[in-house]
Amino acid sequence: MTIQEGLPFPKDAVQAGMQESRALAAKHSRRDTFRSWDVPRDDMSKTPREWRIQPGIVQQVPDDLAEFVGWFDGQPEARERFRWALRDSLDELLDGQRTGRWAYQHLTKTEKTYLGTAVEVNLTKEFDIANGKDLDWSIADVDIDCKFSKDLGGWEIPMEMYQCADHGERGGRADHPALVTWMNDDTSEWAAGIVRITDERLRWRRGLDANGDRVRAYNRDNKRKLADNAKSDVYWLWGGLQTDLPTNLLLRLDIGTRERILAASLPRRPSSGQQRLNQLFREVQDRIVGRQTVLTVGQQDDSPKRARDARNDLRPEGIVVLGHQGSHPHVARALELPAPVKGEWISTRLAPVSPDDERPKFSLDGQFWARARANEPTHPAPDLCYKRKIDGQTD
C-alpha cells in the first residue's frame, strides 16, 4: 500500500474516526429527549377592527396591479400551493421532531421574527420567483416585495419601497407593489393581497411638528405600517379571508386527548415514541394525520416507521392504520374515508359485518368489514398488508 505524500496518516485511524463520529456528541445530546409544552395562554394573532375582512370579497382589479394578479391567477393550483407554503413555513420553525412544539406561541422571540423570512423563502421556491433588482422579487419583470405579518394589517414597510422627497437617497425609486400575507394558526385563517405602497397609504402620527407639518409614524427601524384606510386599496387574492389553512392537528385537539397522546406510557416504563403514536391512532380516528403530527408525537428520526409499526400493535384492538400504498387508499374510499396520500395516515376501528349491512364496507377473503359503531364489541382487524388486494380491487 502506498501512502500519498503530504497527507497525514493518524497513528490510530480508528480513534481518529471516532473523533469525527456523531455518536460522541449523541452520548450527551439533549436534542432527542422527549419534550412537552403547555397550552398557549395567549392568541397567535390580532386582527384590529379596522382590518377585519370577509370571505368572498368581489373587487375590481386595479390597472396598476393587473399584471401581478394575472400572474398568480395563471399559476397552476396557486391557492392550494400558497396555503401549504404558509403551513410548511410555520412547521419548519416549530420543528416538532426535535422540539416537540405544536403551537406558534412556543417559538422564541427570534424564531417568531424569522417566520416572515421563512414564508418569503418558501413562496419563492414554490412559485420559482426570480429575484428583483431592488426588492425581493421580480414578477412579470417588475419588482415586488413580499411582506408577512402574524397580525392582519401589521406589515412593516421600509423606505425603499416608496417615493418620498424627505427620504433622499434612502427613498424608493418608485412606489412599489407589495404582496402582503397573514395567517392565524389558532383559527386556521389566512389571507394574501397586493397593494401599491405610497407615502399617503402609510401611517402618520397624530398632530403636527413645530413647522405645522404632519409627522410620519416610523418605528425604530424607520419602517411604517399601512394606514387603516389603506385596507380598501388592497386587492385580496382569492376573495379575501381564507378559512382553510392546513390543520395543525395537535393544536386543534381538546386538552384531554392531546395529553393522553403525549403522556402515553406503559406501567413503570417511560413513554416511548411507539406508545405515543399508538395512542395517537387510537384517539384520532377517521381523519387524516399528517407527517408533521407524526414527527412531533414520535420525536424520533424513524417516527414514520413507528406509524407503520402501529398497524401490528393496534390490529388486536380492531384498529387499522391506512397509508398511501397498495390496497389502503381503496379501503379508505370503500369506507367513505379520506384517502391518504404520501406522508399521510388515517386510522379507523373495523367490525365484521354481513353482506347486506347498509354501511360502507369492503370485502377481504369473503368477509365484509365496516367502520365499527361505538357499541360494537372489539374484533381483531384483518391484515391489510400493502401487497394484499381487497376483493374486487382491479388495480
Side-chain angles (χ1 to χ4, degrees):
M1 177 179 178
T2 301
I3 301 176
Q4 185 176 347
E5 293 185 2
L7 294 178
F9 190 78
K11 294 180 179 180
D12 189 341
V14 174
Q15 180 61 29
M18 282 298 293
Q19 295 302 321
E20 297 298 325
S21 173
R22 190 178 183 91
L24 291 177
K27 286 182 179 180
H28 306 286
S29 175
R30 300 287 298 172
R31 287 182 291 177
D32 292 333
T33 303
F34 176 75
R35 301 179 185 182
S36 60
W37 296 82
D38 294 334
V39 177
R41 296 182 179 180
D42 54 345
D43 297 331
M44 171 180 173
S45 178
K46 298 178 182 178
T47 302
R49 177 175 54 83
E50 296 82 3
W51 277 94
R52 292 175 186 169
I53 57 175
Q54 301 297 320
I57 298 174
V58 178
Q59 295 174 278
Q60 182 71 31
V61 180
D63 292 340
D64 64 328
L65 301 179
E67 55 191 344
F68 305 106
V69 175
W71 187 88
F72 277 102
D73 286 344
Q75 302 301 306
E77 302 293 345
R79 182 182 173 279
E80 291 300 304
R81 294 160 64 192
F82 201 105
R83 71 187 185 103
W84 275 103
L86 294 177
R87 172 79 270 157
D88 292 342
S89 299
L90 179 52
D91 286 344
E92 287 175 12
L93 267 66
L94 292 176
D95 194 13
Q97 176 180 332
R98 295 176 178 83
T99 68
R101 298 180 300 201
W102 42 267
Y104 169 87
Q105 294 87 333
H106 297 155
L107 297 175
T108 65
K109 182 178 180 180
T110 300
E111 289 170 318
K112 291 176 181 178
T113 302
Y114 182 74
L115 180 55
T117 300
V119 167
E120 179 192 332
V121 168
N122 280 305
L123 287 174
T124 302
K125 291 189 291 187
E126 179 62 47
F127 292 99
D128 193 21
I129 303 175
N131 293 330
K133 295 178 181 178
D134 299 315
L135 303 180
D136 296 337
W137 291 345
S138 176
I139 292 179
D141 294 325
V142 179
D143 275 14
I144 181 172
D145 223 353
C146 177
K147 295 298 176 187
F148 171 83
S149 174
K150 73 176 184 64
D151 298 324
L152 194 55
W155 307 286
E156 296 185 345
I157 309 300
M159 290 182 176
E160 62 264 24
M161 284 206 65
Y162 59 100
Q163 292 180 314
C164 175
D166 293 341
H167 290 169
E169 294 182 354
R170 294 182 297 174
R173 300 182 184 181
D175 289 333
H176 292 290
L179 174 75
V180 291
T181 64
W182 161 81
M183 65 173 156
N184 183 357
D185 204 21
D186 294 345
T187 60
S188 296
E189 295 175 324
W190 62 281
I194 304 176
V195 61
R196 188 169 293 278
I197 304 301
T198 67
D199 192 27
E200 289 301 318
R201 286 174 178 163
L202 299 174
R203 289 187 181 180
W204 298 74
R205 298 191 187 280
R206 293 181 179 179
L208 305 176
D209 64 12
N211 297 323
D213 297 324
R214 291 190 300 165
V215 181
R216 295 177 178 85
Y218 300 111
N219 64 14
R220 288 180 294 181
D221 297 323
N222 287 322
K223 295 179 180 179
R224 296 159 67 194
K225 294 181 180 180
L226 286 169
D228 292 338
N229 58 12
K231 184 181 75 169
S232 59
D233 297 317
V234 179
Y235 181 85
W236 299 104
L237 297 171
W238 308 299
L241 182 67
Q242 311 296 309
T243 58
D244 61 350
L245 184 72
T247 303
N248 182 339
L249 180 59
L250 288 174
L251 178 64
R252 308 296 281 183
L253 293 177
D254 65 79
I255 295 176
T257 299
R258 185 171 52 241
E259 288 183 345
R260 287 192 297 272
I261 292 170
L262 297 179
S265 63
L266 297 175
R268 300 181 181 179
R269 289 181 59 184
S271 173
S272 73
Q274 187 65 66
Q275 293 159 14
R276 292 191 296 272
L277 285 166
N278 289 352
Q279 192 68 19
L280 170 67
F281 291 115
R282 287 190 189 101
E283 298 274 356
V284 182
Q285 295 186 22
D286 301 335
R287 63 185 296 184
I288 291 291
V289 174
R291 178 181 175 85
Q292 288 300 325
T293 300
V294 166
L295 292 175
T296 303
V297 171
Q299 294 188 38
Q300 296 174 324
D301 289 338
D302 58 353
S303 292
K305 180 183 181 299
R306 302 297 181 188
R308 296 189 292 270
D309 290 345
R311 297 187 178 110
N312 294 329
D313 294 345
L314 298 178
R315 274 182 58 209
E317 303 174 30
I319 298 172
V320 292
V321 180
L322 305 175
H324 75 285
Q325 293 179 305
S327 64
H328 290 197
H330 301 276
V331 170
R333 286 190 286 268
L335 298 174
E336 297 186 357
L337 292 170
V341 297
K342 188 174 183 179
E344 294 181 343
W345 296 264
I346 191 169
S347 66
T348 193
R349 189 168 75 89
L350 297 179
V353 297
S354 63
D356 57 354
D357 192 291
E358 63 183 10
R359 282 175 282 181
K361 54 188 176 295
F362 69 94
S363 175
L364 182 64
D365 297 334
Q367 174 63 59
F368 283 90
W369 298 87
R371 290 157 59 187
R373 297 188 175 106
N375 60 352
E376 288 184 304
T378 298
H379 191 287
D383 183 5
L384 298 176
C385 67
Y386 287 137
K387 296 182 180 180
R388 197 174 184 190
K389 292 186 177 182
I390 64 174
D391 295 345
Q393 181 182 333
T394 58
D395 59 324

